[in-house]
Amino acid sequence: MKHFLIKYRFQAWRAQIQRFIAAVEADGTLNGRIAYRCMKADNGTNEYYHLAASSDDEASKALQSRDFFKAYTEETKRVSGGTVEVLPLAIIAETSARA
C-alpha cells in the first residue's frame, strides 16, 4: 500500500473535497482500492492535510487517469496559492488497529 500526505493552506472548500471523495467511491475501479481522508489542523490555522492511500500501483494509475482527479488536483493547486506539498510516505511500523 502506498501513502501520500498532501498539505496546504487555504480557507475551507469542503464541498469540492466531498465531491472528489464521492467520485472516488462511485468509481467501480477505485472504490475499495483508494482511501482518502481530509483533515484540518485544530490549532487555529488554515492548514489542511489530505492522507491518501492506494492498495496498489494500478489503483494509483487509474486514479491519476480520471478527469475528476485532474480537475481536483488543479483546483487544489489554485486555491492553495501554490503551497501544496505532496509527500510520499513509507510505513515503518504500525499497530494492528487502524482507525
Side-chain angles (χ1 to χ4, degrees):
M1 183 170 283
K2 291 187 173 194
H3 292 81
F4 299 89
L5 177 67
I6 299 100
K7 176 185 172 185
Y8 62 95
R9 298 181 131 230
F10 183 66
Q11 298 293 333
W13 60 306
R14 293 181 182 175
Q16 292 90 336
I17 295 165
Q18 291 167 339
R19 280 195 295 271
F20 173 74
I21 290 171
V24 170
E25 291 180 331
D27 188 300
T29 301
L30 301 176
N31 192 355
R33 297 176 67 201
I34 299 290
Y36 197 88
R37 290 181 173 170
C38 176
M39 295 155 277
K40 182 180 183 301
D42 196 17
N43 61 2
T45 67
N46 283 329
E47 292 181 336
Y48 285 79
Y49 299 87
H50 297 233
L51 185 58
S54 64
S55 61
D56 50 66
D57 287 337
E58 290 78 28
S60 293
K61 290 176 185 173
L63 175 63
Q64 292 170 7
S65 74
R66 301 303 194 259
D67 288 339
F68 67 83
F69 174 81
K70 294 171 188 172
Y72 181 71
T73 300
E74 287 305 312
E75 184 65 5
T76 302
K77 290 176 187 175
R78 187 188 71 75
V79 300
S80 74
T83 64
V84 176
E85 294 178 57
V86 178
L87 306 169
L89 303 172
I91 294 176
I92 305 303
E94 64 183 321
T95 64
S96 60
R98 300 206 177 118

